[in-house]
Amino acid sequence: KAGVTQTPRYLIKTRGQQVTLSCSPISGHRSVSWYQQTPGQGLQFLFEYFSETQRNKGNFPGRFSGRQFSNSRSEMNVSTLELGDSALYLCASSPGDRGVDEQYFGPGTRLTVT
Amino acid sequence: AQSVTQPDIHITVSEGASLELRCNYSYGATPYLFWYVQSPGQGLQLLLKYFSGDTLVQGIKGFEAEFKRSQSSFNLRKPSVHWSDAAEYFCAVGAIDSWGKLQFGAGTQVVVTP
């Protein structure tokens, strides 16, 4: 099976702009989770989608949003970018039919905000 | 609330020597525990997981981990490290109602010397 793919791999944006990141899960997986990874805060959970519904969310401002499509592909959007949003954004997929499961991660999207 | 502590930020080990990475968790109910590895610029790869049963868990790349409930620990071990094991290692914990959220430790950077 193909692994989790994320596009684009790298992005450079300016403060105030918005950005959309995409994640395609492993075939058959219906859950997609998003994480932000920074040197200072480590890996932090953003939100999780299952069958097009957000089931869980972390403690991030409303500028961070996401959605999931019927084919389980997911996008996350960050509006009004701030310098502190510079990070590696990782998505992970899992079957999703249990409350906890092993997650398979994509390579990430490196976002730089200038 | 769940929490994960990796006491060692950085470990240096000689090639061929044994490696042990420490992980302590805090969680009231049954924890679901994971170890992931991240190479520079890459996503996270699952090494092993513990859900229940035998407390000694075997994973990929020759790694194993032991769950000790009395010590709230899930330490990762490898008998003989290879230069390719140089990477950052993350311990993570989930719960039966995590719904896509894993709580990660801060990570341990492993350097392998000749």
Side-chain angles (χ1 to χ4, degrees), chain A residues 9-10 31 33 35 37 43 45 48 55-56 88 90 96-108 110, chain B residues 32 34 36 38 41-46 49 51 88 90 94-106:
Chain A
R9 292 292 310 276
Y10 303 91
S31 168
S33 296
Y35 294 86
Q37 185 178 26
L43 281 150
F45 173 76
E48 186 256 9
R55 280 196 306 195
N56 200 357
L88 182 66
L90 294 161
D97 47 1
R98 296 190 291 187
V100 61
D101 217 333
E102 58 200 62
Q103 295 181 355
Y104 296 89
F105 283 79
R110 172 73 63 183
Chain B
Y32 295 79
F34 306 84
Y36 284 87
Q38 185 178 34
Q42 303 297 315
L44 279 70
Q45 181 182 23
L46 178 68
K49 67 181 182 185
F51 280 11
E88 190 155 23
F90 293 92
I96 193 62
D97 58 351
S98 284
W99 303 118
K101 177 182 179 179
L102 295 183
Q103 186 75 39
F104 283 86

Side-chain angles (χ1 to χ4, degrees), chain B:
Chain B
Q2 306 160 34
S3 68
V4 182
T5 303
Q6 294 181 246
D8 304 305
I9 297 172
H10 187 274
I11 283 182
T12 299
V13 60
S14 299
E15 191 167 14
S18 64
L19 174 68
E20 181 167 13
L21 304 182
R22 297 182 291 164
C23 173
N24 294 100
Y25 66 89
S26 173
Y27 185 61
T30 301
Y32 295 79
L33 297 157
F34 306 84
W35 274 100
Y36 284 87
V37 61
Q38 185 178 34
S39 297
Q42 303 297 315
L44 279 70
Q45 181 182 23
L46 178 68
L47 287 175
L48 46 79
K49 67 181 182 185
Y50 173 78
F51 280 11
S52 64
D54 192 347
T55 56
L56 186 62
V57 179
Q58 301 298 319
I60 63 171
K61 302 185 178 187
F63 285 93
E64 67 178 25
E66 186 170 13
F67 171 60
K68 293 185 177 180
R69 185 184 298 275
S70 62
Q71 298 176 21
S72 298
S73 69
F74 188 56
N75 295 348
L76 182 72
R77 298 191 294 253
K78 185 168 185 178
S80 177
V81 299
H82 186 262
W83 62 266
S84 60
D85 293 322
E88 190 155 23
Y89 292 78
F90 293 92
C91 180
V93 65
I96 193 62
D97 58 351
S98 284
W99 303 118
K101 177 182 179 179
L102 295 183
Q103 186 75 39
F104 283 86
T108 298
Q109 184 71 47
V110 173
V111 173
V112 181
T113 59

Side-chain angles (χ1 to χ4, degrees), chain A residues 17-65:
Chain A
Q17 289 185 316
Q18 75 166 21
V19 66
T20 299
L21 313 181
S22 180
C23 173
S24 292
I26 291 171
S27 177
H29 284 187
R30 294 190 292 163
S31 168
V32 174
S33 296
W34 289 89
Y35 294 86
Q36 181 195 66
Q37 185 178 26
T38 60
Q41 299 298 316
L43 281 150
Q44 294 186 288
F45 173 76
L46 282 154
F47 31 65
E48 186 256 9
Y49 285 86
F50 176 78
S51 291
E52 302 179 67
T53 300
Q54 187 182 88
R55 280 196 306 195
N56 200 357
K57 68 187 300 286
N59 191 26
F60 277 81
R63 300 186 297 106
F64 292 81
S65 63

